Amino acid sequence: MRTYIGHQQAVSAADFAELALGTPVELWLGVEGETDEERAAREDAARDILADDPNLPDDLIRIAAQVIEENPDLFDVIPLTRPARRRRAARKGVAA
């Protein structure tokens, strides 16, 4: 099944979130190992986006609530069992 936001295909959860938000998820959450300067720049960019669209947080919460309401099975988690691994028998003392 393919998922599209507008004309863009979302091939991963990160793609879907980025296309839905209109910004990379990393802008809001940061990345592991970022420097203090990188964090400050990221936060400045996020503040600029929020200043340009002050309703963005409310809109995102409304969209998330709508998605959850329309797709309650999103949170149905079914544990999958792994098939048993086959172990190769060690062949000691067998001449080639």
Side-chain angles (χ1 to χ4, degrees):
M1 183 165 93
R2 295 182 182 178
T3 303
Y4 288 87
I5 306 293
H7 296 289
Q8 298 290 323
Q9 181 180 2
V11 293
S12 69
D15 286 347
F16 183 79
E18 181 173 340
L19 291 169
L21 291 171
T23 61
V25 174
E26 292 83 9
L27 175 67
W28 307 103
L29 302 179
V31 293
E32 187 175 334
E34 73 182 355
T35 65
D36 290 341
E37 289 143 357
E38 290 169 331
R39 187 183 73 247
R42 177 179 55 77
E43 290 173 348
D44 284 344
R47 275 191 286 278
D48 289 344
I49 290 171
L50 290 173
D52 289 342
D53 188 359
N55 293 324
L56 181 64
D58 294 335
D59 293 342
L60 293 176
I61 291 168
R62 188 172 22 266
I63 291 167
Q66 181 180 355
V67 167
I68 292 167
E69 184 176 321
E70 292 174 359
N71 302 283
D73 58 325
L74 285 175
F75 298 100
D76 290 347
V77 178
I78 301 169
L80 301 175
T81 59
R82 290 185 177 181
R85 287 187 174 184
R86 293 185 183 181
R87 293 184 184 216
R88 293 185 182 188
R91 294 185 176 188
K92 294 184 179 180
V94 176

